[in-house]
Amino acid sequence: MRTQVGIVGAGPAGLLLSHLLHQRGIESVVLEVRSREQIESTIRAGVLEQGTMDLLIEAGVGARMRAEGALHHGFEFAFEGKRRRIDLTGLTGHSITVYAQHEVLKDLVAARVDAGAQLYFDVSDVSLHDLDTDHPSICYQHGGEQHTLQCDFVIGCDGSQGVSRKSIPQSLRKDYERVYPFSWFGILCEAPPSSDELIYARHERGFALISTRSPNVQRMYFQCDPHETVENWSDDRVWAELHARADSHDGRQIVDGKIFQKNIVGMRSFVTTTMRYGRLFLAGDAAHIVPPTGAKGLNLAVADVKILSAALRAFYQEGRADLLDHYAETALKRIWRAEHFSYWMTSMTHRRDDATPFEQQLQIAELEHVTTSRAAATALAENYVGVAAV
Ligand code: RFL
Ligand code: PHB
């Protein structure tokens, strides 16, 4: 089999790239190890930046997001028993939409299937070959048979554990990493929203985040030990912890409900600046990871493929390779901005067991500052909505 662009992974990066390339007259094949049902039901991100929404709408896959997603014009920080609002729209003129990642995936899969895309789920044994030549290929198993896909380019959109990044020789790769000494315990529950807007809470017991999915389903997280297990946490214990961390002294309380999913998410910052190796390009989590505190991961994946689709269009339609040559340099500006923002939001709001009382007071001083200084709040808001200068 032959195609122009072979895409490994049908997450947001791979599916959106394949869709954008199709709209620019470029053929692609997407290979995914998981089933369609699995990718359409895995609970992950929830916050879409304005630029992500605009691109999805422009690409014709934003109708359901517009109808069912919730537009948010601000969020709150909870600390020292009080709540302080960051007026995203007032400070930046932009907003965010809360719309679950797996709903974005359903919309993208439907659009790709409608267009007759070559999208293969349940593939296995994916390996990449001849990447440093102009005729790379991808070998994989599907339907009990061995296949080889010849292509002009291979795009690695296979997330942090995929095969693409590992196919770049370690000696050529420049990687940067930070592992945090805590994780997030996440729940989904049947309850009305606890608040009109998201709440990021800093408490001496640890961080908590009150998010939402729909008028009837809420998403909440609290910082936990990385060795914690879901079995250790009864529903009552979860609610006691969330109340302790996120309720405010003026009587505003989060609303309990029936918990129907619990999971634990690790926290890591990672960047490989080697986003290209010959005819292989990396996009999304395959190239970089952020802790979820800044809500940037999905948005960065979308930003990467926007740059990459324009570069591939210039290559095929104008015979220009310069945009491809500059892909990593262009993408890394936004990536490092988001890496810093996510690290900073995490550091300002999470408990560290080794923090001295002095350092704990610094966290509170910083939260006071970003919630009272218009200049500091504007900088934070620009980063959160995704319009910070890079
Ligand atoms: P994905 O989504 O991991 O997709 C990669 C796909 O590749 C497949 N794959 C392979 N396919 C073929 N061959 C192989 N060898 C393969 N190996 C893997 C996988 O099965 C998968 O389907 O990467 P992509 O497309 O780069 O998208 C990145 C985002 O998914 C990720 O950054 C976000 O979910 C991060 N994130 C958030 N991002 C935001 O922008 N806003 C948020 O509010 C937000 N909240 C979150 C998050 C991530 C979380 N978790 C679980 C880490 C909240 C959480 C809890
Ligand atoms: C979510 O709703 O899952 C969510 C929201 C904001 C974040 C991270 C996750 O920063």
Side-chain angles (χ1 to χ4, degrees):
M1 188 161 56
R2 202 196 134 72
T3 190
Q4 289 176 306
V5 180
I7 299 176
V8 189
L15 287 168
L16 181 60
L17 179 63
S18 147
H19 183 71
L20 294 174
L21 292 179
H22 169 71
Q23 293 183 323
R24 287 154 183 71
I26 301 164
E27 193 186 272
S28 68
V29 173
V30 181
L31 304 172
E32 166 60 51
V33 284
R34 293 188 297 160
S35 67
R36 179 173 177 176
E37 293 67 35
Q38 275 176 304
I39 72 154
E40 289 187 346
S41 60
T42 304
I43 308 295
R44 293 186 80 176
V47 170
L48 308 184
E49 292 173 355
Q50 178 113 32
T52 300
M53 297 185 276
D54 293 346
L55 184 64
L56 293 174
I57 291 166
E58 199 184 299
V61 286
R64 213 162 58 88
M65 172 193 71
R66 275 175 121 168
E68 295 174 24
L71 204 58
H72 285 222
H73 298 291
F75 70 81
E76 288 185 303
F77 278 117
F79 62 105
E80 298 295 283
K82 61 196 172 208
R83 290 206 199 148
R84 293 261 181 81
R85 181 166 190 263
I86 300 291
D87 181 1
L88 295 173
T89 310
L91 293 165
T92 69
H94 297 280
S95 50
I96 52 135
T97 290
V98 179
Y99 185 63
Q101 174 166 327
H102 66 278
E103 302 295 344
V104 175
L105 288 178
K106 281 185 203 166
D107 298 340
L108 284 168
V109 171
R112 297 282 48 233
V113 169
D114 274 358
Q118 298 196 74
L119 168 54
Y120 299 100
F121 294 102
D122 303 300
V123 306
S124 60
D125 299 319
V126 177
S127 59
L128 313 185
H129 304 274
D130 301 321
L131 296 169
D132 53 353
T133 72
D134 58 7
H135 51 269
S137 61
I138 309 176
C139 293
Y140 61 99
Q141 294 265 352
H142 186 248
E145 283 176 35
Q146 178 69 31
H147 300 265
T148 301
L149 176 65
Q150 307 284 348
C151 32
D152 300 332
F153 296 98
V154 176
I155 314 295
C157 299
D158 46 353
S160 58
Q161 304 301 324
V163 70
S164 301
R165 192 179 64 246
K166 294 178 199 142
S167 303
I168 303 176
Q170 184 68 53
S171 59
L172 298 180
R173 256 168 51 198
K174 186 93 184 97
D175 297 350
Y176 300 82
E177 184 176 31
R178 181 192 173 92
V179 179
Y180 298 82
F182 38 73
S183 295
W184 276 15
F185 194 111
I187 63 155
L188 278 169
C189 66
E190 282 167 22
S194 292
S195 154
D196 292 340
E197 297 180 335
L198 269 57
I199 304 169
Y200 289 79
R202 182 242 173 235
H203 190 274
E204 58 203 23
R205 297 181 66 87
F207 171 82
L209 170 60
I210 310 303
S211 182
T212 183
R213 282 293 177 268
S214 72
N216 310 315
V217 174
Q218 310 311 319
R219 180 74 163 144
M220 304 184 191
Y221 303 92
F222 58 92
Q223 176 186 350
C224 68
D225 187 275
H227 307 295
E228 199 51 271
T229 59
V230 164
E231 293 70 40
N232 275 341
W233 288 82
S234 66
D235 293 7
D236 287 348
R237 187 172 174 214
V238 168
W239 286 119
E241 200 59 44
L242 284 166
H243 279 294
R245 297 184 190 191
D247 287 352
S248 44
H249 290 166
D250 64 7
R252 278 185 290 178
Q253 293 194 341
I254 56 162
V255 183
D256 301 16
K258 184 175 163 353
I259 299 176
F260 62 89
Q261 201 194 86
K262 297 176 184 166
N263 69 332
I264 293 178
V265 184
M267 304 273 280
R268 200 157 74 97
S269 295
F270 173 85
V271 180
T272 182
T273 51
T274 318
M275 295 177 76
R276 175 191 193 162
Y277 170 60
R279 288 285 180 116
L280 168 70
F281 291 82
L282 303 179
D285 278 16
H288 41 75
I289 299 289
V290 283
T293 326
K296 290 285 162 239
L298 167 60
N299 294 295
L300 277 183
V302 168
D304 285 355
V305 300
K306 184 177 179 188
I307 300 168
L308 206 43
S309 60
L312 287 164
R313 192 205 62 79
F315 178 87
Y316 281 110
Q317 286 167 19
E318 297 166 29
R320 288 172 52 190
D322 56 321
L323 295 185
L324 282 173
D325 292 342
H326 289 120
Y327 164 64
E329 189 191 336
T330 310
L332 280 164
K333 290 189 182 128
R334 173 178 280 268
I335 293 164
W336 278 117
R337 175 87 305 279
E339 288 287 343
H340 175 263
F341 178 65
S342 308
Y343 158 83
W344 175 69
M345 280 281 280
T346 304
S347 308
M348 183 166 62
T349 52
H350 285 64
R351 175 193 150 89
R352 286 199 60 136
D353 291 342
D354 60 355
T356 61
F358 179 80
E359 288 162 330
Q360 290 168 6
Q361 291 304 316
L362 290 185
Q363 274 189 328
I364 296 167
E366 191 156 33
L367 280 162
E368 287 285 353
H369 180 56
V370 295
T371 55
T372 50
S373 153
R374 188 176 174 90
T378 304
L380 187 151
E382 285 178 349
N383 277 282
Y384 195 81
V385 301
V387 298
V390 283

